[in-house]
Amino acid sequence: MNNLAELPVTALRGVGEKFAQTLAKLHIATVQDLLFHLPLRYQDRTRVTPIAALAPGVDAVIEGEVRAADVVFGRRRSLMVKLQDGSGTISLRYFHFTAAQKNRFARGVRLRCYGEARRGAAGLELYHPETEIIGAESPDRPDTLTPIYPLTEGVTQLRLRGLIQQALTMLEQAGVAELLPAELLPAPLRYPLRQALQYLHAPPAGADLAQLAEGIHPAQQRLALEELLAHHLSLLELRRENAEVSAPPLPANAALERDFLSRLPFTLTGAQQRVCAEIARDLSQNRPMMRLLQGDVGAGKTLVAAMAALKAIGAGAQVAVMAPTEILAEQHRRNFDAWLAPLNIRVAQLTGSLKAAERRTQLAAIASGEAQLVVGTHALFQPEVVFHNLALVIIDEQHRFGVRQRLELREKGAAKGVSGRLQPHQLIMTATPIPRTLAMSAFADLDCSVIDELPPGRQPINTVAISNERRDQVVERVRAAVAEGRQAYWVCTLIEESESLQAQAAESTASELSEALDGVRVALVHGRLKPEQKERVMGAFKAGEVDLLVATTVIEVGVDVPNASLMIIENPERLGLAQLHQLRGRVGRGSIASHCVLLYGPPLSQNGRARLQALRQHSDGFAIAEEDLRLRGPGEILGTRQTGEIQHRIADLQRDAHLLPQVQRIAASPLLTEDLRRLLIQRWLQNKPRFAEA
Ligand code: ADP
Ligand code: MG
């Protein structure tokens, strides 16, 4: 018998080239892929429910005899069929029907129906149930649960079920390779793979539907574990490939570093020193560093990045610093300039909004190597940007990138790197702490450094949630803070992606507030302003010439004004916890006690309430990230929900996080040979874009 992993779906009855292409959209190319295409959920059509025992909201099979079929004229014209069994009577209601359909329901005909009972005008009703007439040759009820599969256009449940039936018959004979040595599996999951697949495609009558729906049946967990392992192995594979690439070693330039540190008004925290040492060790090697730098907002990551940059610059090479937004790029440019210009280091900036002439000047400085550190947005990686000798790429805000973008960047970086086949080192900074479990699985290709200590003297931020119905009181708080010589932020949020709508909302809030707050100097900043306008407003706020800054979430990152001690966030329920934590981190930067008011629009959903509560309780970004993971799921945290990354077939990072330590343990075992590793990656990831899923 054939190896099902190699057997194309065209080997099945009824699958031609054309249909095979349709199946490819579901990432199904082989018979084995079909077997690993698992149901989303199940229906129980094995048992008949007496009509009298039907409960609203529950899917059920009923069997009975037609007593009447009449067209009734209520708010909408509909066909009502009265069905009776020994226990009671129920109405089937059809809003769309043909004369032929009506005629099918002749009095006395026996029907089997499947659908969900709902409360209607005439007691319990079934709306548009699936029906079949029970005759002499009608099929028996199934003796297994009915699987419901993920579909794509051109594939029906019925057709897919038929194909999977064929595949299951082949599985009987051919089996499926057990790639995981049984002794590596935790005891409750020592579940033969073949049996797990058979069970999940056709659970026996009486199987625990609730357990299956939750995805916690041992057969499901057995597969989830294998899938998570395959993803983990593919990231480890990336890491190994990386180890085979060369990079320019960047030894420390002690004099330059001493000079830099001696000019700082503070000393590095212990955590910053430790992380700097970890980075220094990587950079002195001749293979590319791939390191993730995590730290809570305000922990001082930029300074660590600057220390890394000095290693490259001190060795005569260039550094690129990539930021996700122009405002942040600008802020970094200013920081690095202030730190590095006194050391005679030239900092350049490359963003999308540069004027043509200025852009040409910058490009020339980058190409000649004159610009030693270049700050920019993704404009940095456009084809016309040529570096002289790029040895280090620093990426801020990694959580917005997935593995795929990380790979792309690395390749672009390689193309722009120092001569030959050398690749630049990469330091990736996250503005948002990533829960440990997630970091282990989604970033397994990276080494990780954590700054777990804030600079001394930070004041805790007092956070309160206040309903928009008490907006007046909040406005008064702003007045009082300003009267004491403090500054404040008022952040407007909108879910709409459109910057112009966000800008409009902020504009009207700004005029409302300047009207309400006599004598308070109000300014406005949003994404639609030109960079030089933004810079002017931010400059004025920093200089204390503005008391209240009304802003969209553009101020999320990078803004640093120690005298600002009050922040109002409108509609915080619309934002993720991590983003709120980032925003809030703009205050509490000086030595004064700071306050954050979450001005929510009632009524709050239960989840919304829980999120605001979490924010009030926790000031630690890592604790908040764990909470966010619990409340919203991994896609939101990694910022990949839209791009469809982290899409597992069966595993769910949130539900199955408890399996991740097992995954790591198994991946480290020598029992898992090279061959097995390759086959596992092939089985779970082969027909997907390479490493698209982390
Ligand atoms: P983040 O980790 O959020 O990027 P930043 O690098 O922006 O944090 O640092 C936040 C603020 O703390 C900056 O004003 C920075 O100059 C200051 N800072 C950084 N390191 C220290 C330190 N060791 N002691 C005191 N202040 C520090
Ligand atoms: Mg930062």
Side-chain angles (χ1 to χ4, degrees):
M1 188 68 192
N2 281 299
N3 176 356
L4 302 185
E6 317 250 298
L7 194 64
V9 279
T10 45
L12 297 170
R13 259 175 292 118
V15 183
E17 279 306 326
K18 185 134 184 289
F19 193 57
Q21 279 168 24
T22 307
L23 288 174
K25 285 192 265 170
L26 293 168
H27 305 300
I28 296 171
T30 65
V31 173
Q32 177 180 284
D33 293 337
L34 204 50
L35 289 168
F36 281 86
H37 189 72
L38 293 159
L40 288 172
R41 55 194 176 83
Y42 300 92
Q43 295 174 342
D44 187 352
R45 297 177 183 237
T46 61
R47 283 173 307 167
V48 175
T49 305
I51 287 174
L54 283 177
V58 180
D59 284 335
V61 178
I62 55 172
E63 289 180 2
E65 199 179 294
V66 174
R67 304 304 300 160
D70 300 301
V71 177
V72 297
F73 299 87
R75 251 182 306 158
R76 271 172 81 188
R77 179 171 167 272
S78 58
L79 172 64
M80 291 278 275
V81 179
K82 285 245 176 296
L83 198 72
Q84 192 177 56
D85 67 3
S87 75
T89 309
I90 191 168
S91 303
L92 320 180
R93 193 189 280 272
Y94 296 85
F95 292 110
H96 311 281
F97 57 94
T98 60
Q101 275 170 325
K102 175 174 185 292
N103 295 336
R104 259 177 90 213
F105 298 122
R107 195 182 152 91
V109 161
R110 281 189 61 75
L111 292 182
R112 179 184 298 153
C113 306
Y114 181 83
E116 178 191 321
R118 300 195 218 162
R119 286 192 209 288
L124 279 188
E125 299 182 359
L126 290 179
Y127 289 67
H128 284 265
E130 291 172 41
T131 47
E132 63 184 311
I133 293 175
I134 315 176
E137 76 278 27
S138 67
D140 287 339
R141 284 191 310 278
D143 49 13
T144 59
L145 300 185
T146 305
I148 309 291
Y149 293 102
L151 297 178
T152 189
E153 208 177 313
V155 189
T156 61
Q157 287 297 346
L158 220 56
R159 187 145 187 210
L160 201 55
R161 267 178 220 148
L163 295 182
I164 288 174
Q165 275 311 321
Q166 286 188 55
L168 286 171
T169 310
M170 291 181 171
L171 177 67
E172 284 285 319
Q173 301 169 23
V176 60
E178 288 286 349
L179 301 177
L180 284 182
E183 56 267 52
L184 289 184
L185 287 170
L189 299 189
R190 276 184 207 147
Y191 207 105
L193 193 56
R194 178 210 302 216
Q195 206 177 315
L197 289 170
Q198 279 164 340
Y199 189 93
L200 292 177
H201 286 292
D208 188 340
L209 257 181
Q211 196 186 35
L212 284 168
E214 274 186 67
I216 54 173
H217 188 280
Q220 288 166 314
Q221 291 281 292
R222 162 69 180 78
L223 287 168
L225 177 72
E226 188 174 314
E227 180 173 32
L228 289 171
L229 178 67
H231 282 270
H232 189 72
L233 292 174
S234 79
L235 289 175
L236 293 181
E237 184 64 21
L238 264 186
R239 186 197 269 266
R240 211 178 52 177
E241 282 173 22
N242 191 51
E244 287 161 9
V245 176
S246 301
L250 306 172
N253 181 328
L256 190 62
E257 281 169 32
R258 218 175 309 119
D259 198 3
F260 172 71
L261 291 173
S262 69
R263 285 164 202 265
L264 290 176
F266 47 75
T267 52
L268 297 189
T269 62
Q272 280 172 320
Q273 286 178 19
R274 174 175 44 77
V275 168
C276 281
E278 286 165 3
I279 293 172
R281 204 179 319 123
D282 284 2
L283 290 179
S284 68
Q285 309 289 317
N286 62 355
R287 65 175 191 88
M289 169 173 80
M290 286 296 289
R291 188 169 281 276
L292 181 70
L293 174 57
Q294 294 203 62
D296 206 348
V297 52
K301 293 182 287 292
T302 324
L303 200 79
V304 170
M307 287 290 285
L310 282 183
K311 299 253 179 343
I313 295 166
Q318 286 173 300
V319 181
V321 179
M322 188 167 109
T325 64
E326 297 229 342
I327 280 210
L328 187 57
E330 173 56 34
Q331 174 91 16
H332 276 326
R333 207 264 307 145
R334 223 184 299 188
N335 272 334
F336 284 114
D337 218 18
W339 284 333
L340 303 183
L343 308 175
N344 291 320
I345 292 171
R346 166 121 181 243
V347 175
Q349 182 173 2
L350 199 70
T351 48
S353 64
L354 284 190
K355 297 214 173 59
E358 180 57 19
R359 183 177 163 80
R360 267 197 304 279
T361 316
Q362 301 285 18
L363 284 175
I366 296 168
S368 70
E370 215 179 312
Q372 291 155 290
L373 183 140
V374 188
V375 183
T377 52
H378 14 273
L380 272 181
F381 287 98
Q382 283 160 356
E384 62 271 28
V385 187
V386 180
F387 285 85
H388 181 62
N389 59 351
L390 178 64
L392 172 63
V393 177
I394 299 173
I395 303 167
D396 200 0
E397 293 270 81
Q398 157 66 17
H399 71 292
R400 302 191 184 186
F401 299 118
V403 180
R404 190 177 1 195
Q405 285 104 318
R406 211 146 72 217
L407 271 180
E408 272 172 24
L409 256 181
R410 194 199 291 188
E411 272 153 31
K412 281 183 189 159
K416 299 190 177 306
V418 280
S419 56
R421 295 203 54 260
L422 294 185
Q423 270 192 14
H425 299 277
Q426 270 192 40
L427 179 66
I428 296 155
M429 304 197 279
T430 64
T432 315
I434 299 165
R436 220 169 55 83
T437 47
L438 261 192
M440 279 179 352
S441 57
F443 297 102
D445 58 326
L446 304 176
D447 295 307
C448 190
S449 287
V450 181
I451 309 183
D452 51 5
E453 177 188 358
L454 292 180
R458 290 282 159 82
Q459 294 289 321
I461 303 166
N462 171 35
T463 302
V464 294
I466 296 181
S467 156
N468 196 36
E469 285 160 356
R470 289 161 58 201
R471 193 180 176 91
D472 289 352
Q473 294 172 20
V474 175
V475 173
E476 282 317 306
R477 260 181 104 146
V478 174
R479 189 196 303 281
V482 171
E484 284 174 24
R486 305 273 168 252
Q487 290 167 283
Y489 297 98
W490 190 292
V491 185
C492 306
T493 62
L494 265 194
I495 342 170
E496 282 83 359
E497 281 300 300
S498 145
E499 275 196 345
S500 73
L501 281 178
Q502 296 198 354
Q504 271 175 31
E507 256 161 39
S508 60
T509 305
S511 50
E512 169 212 320
L513 289 171
S514 23
E515 214 158 287
L517 291 165
D518 233 10
V520 170
R521 295 165 298 176
V522 180
L524 173 66
V525 63
H526 56 66
R528 296 272 282 187
L529 296 184
K530 296 212 181 63
E532 57 269 25
Q533 290 175 305
K534 268 187 237 172
E535 210 176 318
R536 199 167 337 111
V537 176
M538 296 309 301
F541 189 58
K542 212 160 181 165
E545 293 154 12
V546 164
D547 304 308
L548 175 63
L549 184 66
V550 178
T552 54
T553 49
V554 295
I555 63 149
E556 179 185 346
V557 280
V559 179
D560 196 9
V561 181
N563 190 47
S565 61
L566 173 62
M567 171 171 287
I568 322 296
I569 306 176
E570 282 207 62
N571 302 310
E573 67 275 14
R574 291 173 178 170
L575 301 182
L577 278 183
Q579 199 182 0
L580 287 168
H581 181 62
Q582 278 293 318
L583 272 173
R584 180 173 63 172
R586 299 305 110 205
V587 294
R589 306 202 142 221
S591 48
I592 352 144
S594 291
H595 302 272
C596 175
V597 177
L598 305 170
L599 187 59
Y600 65 87
L604 276 182
S605 69
Q606 206 173 2
N607 188 283
R609 192 182 308 271
R611 299 208 333 249
L612 297 192
Q613 176 71 8
L615 208 66
R616 288 172 46 207
Q617 270 174 356
H618 301 286
S619 57
D620 170 9
F622 284 92
I624 288 175
E626 294 286 353
E627 201 63 16
D628 218 8
L629 175 64
R630 203 172 62 73
L631 293 169
R632 294 200 310 165
E636 292 284 353
I637 293 183
L638 297 171
T640 50
R641 182 136 115 184
Q642 290 79 1
T643 64
E645 281 213 21
I646 312 233
Q647 235 171 37
H648 293 99
R649 297 186 198 193
I650 184 155
D652 172 331
L653 273 182
Q654 195 173 0
R655 181 194 64 210
D656 301 329
H658 66 280
L659 294 174
L660 291 171
Q662 303 287 354
V663 166
Q664 292 212 309
R665 187 184 51 78
I666 299 173
S669 164
L671 289 179
L672 207 59
T673 61
E674 283 308 316
D675 267 352
L676 292 175
R677 287 165 196 263
R678 187 175 47 76
L679 289 168
L680 278 164
I681 295 175
Q682 208 174 21
R683 172 181 285 171
W684 289 96
L685 294 154
Q686 183 178 46
N687 300 305
K688 306 210 168 184
R690 188 173 181 236
F691 305 116
E693 285 79 16

